[in-house]
Amino acid sequence: MMKVLVINCGSSSLKYQLIDMETESVLAKGLCERIGIDGSRLKHTPAGKDTVVLEEVMPDHNKAVQMVLDALTDSEYGVISNMQEIGAVGHRVVHGGEAFSGSVLITDDVIKAMEECSELAPLHNPANLIGIRACQKLMPDTPMVGVFDTAFHQTMPEEAYLYGIPYEYYTKYKVRRYGFHGTSHRYVSQRVAAVLGKPIEDLKIIVCHLGNGASVCAVDGGKSVDTSMGLTPLEGLIMGTRSGDIDPAIMQYIMHKENLDIDQMMDVLNKKSGILGISGISSDFREVESGCEAGNPDAIRANNAFVYHVVKYIGSYAAAMNGLDAIAFTAGLGENNGKVRAQICSYFGFLGLTVDPERNAVRGVETIISTEDSKVKALLIPTDEELMIARDTVEICR
Ligand code: AMP
């Protein structure tokens, strides 16, 4: 069994984990920040040891990958003796379009297909590709695997992925729902089946990935049948700074009133809306949570709107699947905010869901939070996208 390096590359950042797949344990993890910007640095954390911060100029991603490999093999804070110990690299790729319904070994043809998807995710895919190329340059003989955020959702039926717009926009431009957070939804739904001790084929699960970006996914028999994010990660739930669903005519109305162009309008919807926009307090739910505790009406308003939108999606997905066995909560907010979990679940008494307040008083631990006799189960499942990427990588490189 091998050691797998998992890479999640952004335009100015690079996150990594080195995972020993024999034990599925993380040997080291870290983050390169401000690549190509003044003040770049690498934060490297070997398992069970203190974080080392290395401040060095990183003009590009090649240098960042080089620093990661140096850190991993360093005599003092490294965790392997040489690069050859890395059996394969798994790369997170945001958009796989309709070309990828699963993870793949990266070849020249795959890179070409990824480039074609870049138009659909102009902020993310080019950065993912830069990371892949930088790794290929420094590790020319190491197999690389691409794991796509969209792939899990490729099982959605046509009625779920089509928008109510002229069909030719789908045939000509591939405008449709793709969905994101697929690696997380896949991991969490598999864990739900394991925790409940039932085959995933027999389960109807709704996964609520509630983080800064947030999405809900209906998983029927282990397959994604619908999800709240769409062509881009802007659709669906109210998020940290993203609006989620709105009446599209709002854009024209506000652009006219506020004298905005389309780029400024998109900026408002992506960066100034959501929890931040409604509350005016912060995009960080922790601040909204303490605002709610202090009785701040702006915080309460944002909290309740957020919860209500999650509830509406759960209700519609229970209908879409003609039943529901379990709701799972994951990501920063889903794993840490018991109040929001309980508030969401309180709407589903009519389905026979009851939360046990004691079981729900946990953070970040795999737990069934519903009562023993609850008909629909509720669970807290900490997500682990890196492990899922590493597992796919092993599977493909075997
Ligand atoms: P993520 O994007 O998964 O990192 O999640 C970010 C969101 O999770 C933010 O809204 C945070 O406020 C929330 N969050 C993260 N950690 C905690 C925590 N320890 N307690 C409460 N909320 C948290």
Side-chain angles (χ1 to χ4, degrees), residues 78 132 208 268 309 319:
I132 291 170
C208 305
V268 170
H309 279 246

Side-chain angles (χ1 to χ4, degrees), residues 102-360:
S103 303
V104 289
L105 188 71
I106 297 175
T107 61
D108 290 347
D109 285 346
V110 165
I111 289 194
K112 214 182 281 164
M114 284 180 191
E115 279 166 347
E116 281 161 19
C117 300
S118 283
E119 216 182 0
L120 294 167
L123 296 178
H124 295 104
N125 272 35
N128 302 152
L129 280 162
I130 287 169
I132 291 170
R133 291 214 179 85
C135 287
Q136 283 180 326
K137 208 167 186 176
L138 293 163
M139 294 178 268
D141 301 323
T142 311
M144 312 261 156
V145 169
V147 180
F148 304 88
D149 272 22
T150 51
F152 182 56
H153 303 300
Q154 278 297 302
T155 46
M156 268 189 290
E158 196 177 48
E159 65 263 30
Y161 71 68
L162 281 184
Y163 290 113
I165 55 176
Y167 189 68
E168 68 189 60
Y169 297 156
Y170 170 60
T171 51
K172 281 206 298 206
Y173 311 122
K174 297 272 182 245
V175 172
R176 51 159 286 178
R177 176 181 312 287
Y178 289 96
F180 298 86
H181 293 141
T183 310
S184 175
H185 289 301
R186 180 159 58 104
Y187 174 81
V188 171
S189 53
Q190 288 178 5
R191 288 307 307 159
V192 168
V195 170
L196 296 180
K198 292 198 174 137
I200 198 162
E201 291 73 23
D202 296 346
L203 290 171
K204 296 177 195 291
I205 302 167
I206 294 175
V207 180
C208 305
H209 179 111
L210 310 179
N212 228 331
S215 72
V216 185
C217 180
V219 184
D220 193 349
K223 293 192 172 128
S224 169
V225 293
D226 205 350
T227 191
S228 58
M229 282 177 169
L231 174 75
T232 75
L234 184 55
E235 194 185 349
L237 300 177
I238 293 174
M239 307 183 214
T241 62
R242 285 175 236 159
S243 63
D245 302 329
I246 62 166
D247 176 347
I250 291 171
M251 296 178 68
Q252 185 196 30
Y253 187 73
I254 296 295
M255 283 165 76
H256 184 66
K257 289 279 184 201
E258 297 264 317
N259 204 14
L260 304 180
D261 63 26
I262 188 68
D263 290 338
Q264 291 168 315
M265 186 70 237
M266 291 309 291
D267 201 58
V268 170
L269 296 179
N270 273 304
K271 299 190 183 141
K272 297 180 183 143
S273 297
I275 292 293
L276 170 68
I278 297 179
S279 70
I281 298 171
S282 168
S283 66
D284 191 318
F285 219 90
R286 275 169 284 204
E287 289 186 46
V288 172
E289 192 183 357
S290 40
C292 288
E293 279 159 17
N296 178 338
D298 298 329
I300 293 170
R301 191 177 292 132
N303 178 88
N304 291 351
F306 173 80
V307 164
Y308 185 72
H309 279 246
V310 178
V311 165
K312 282 212 294 191
Y313 270 101
I314 294 174
S316 63
Y317 289 170
M321 293 192 288
N322 188 25
L324 179 62
D325 297 300
I327 301 174
F329 295 94
T330 196
L333 174 54
E335 292 171 28
N336 288 293
N337 192 323
K339 275 190 211 123
V340 162
R341 289 194 300 264
Q343 200 183 343
I344 291 168
C345 290
S346 71
Y347 283 81
F348 298 101
F350 78 98
L351 289 178
L353 169 59
T354 319
V355 166
D356 180 330
E358 241 167 76
R359 288 179 170 185
N360 188 37

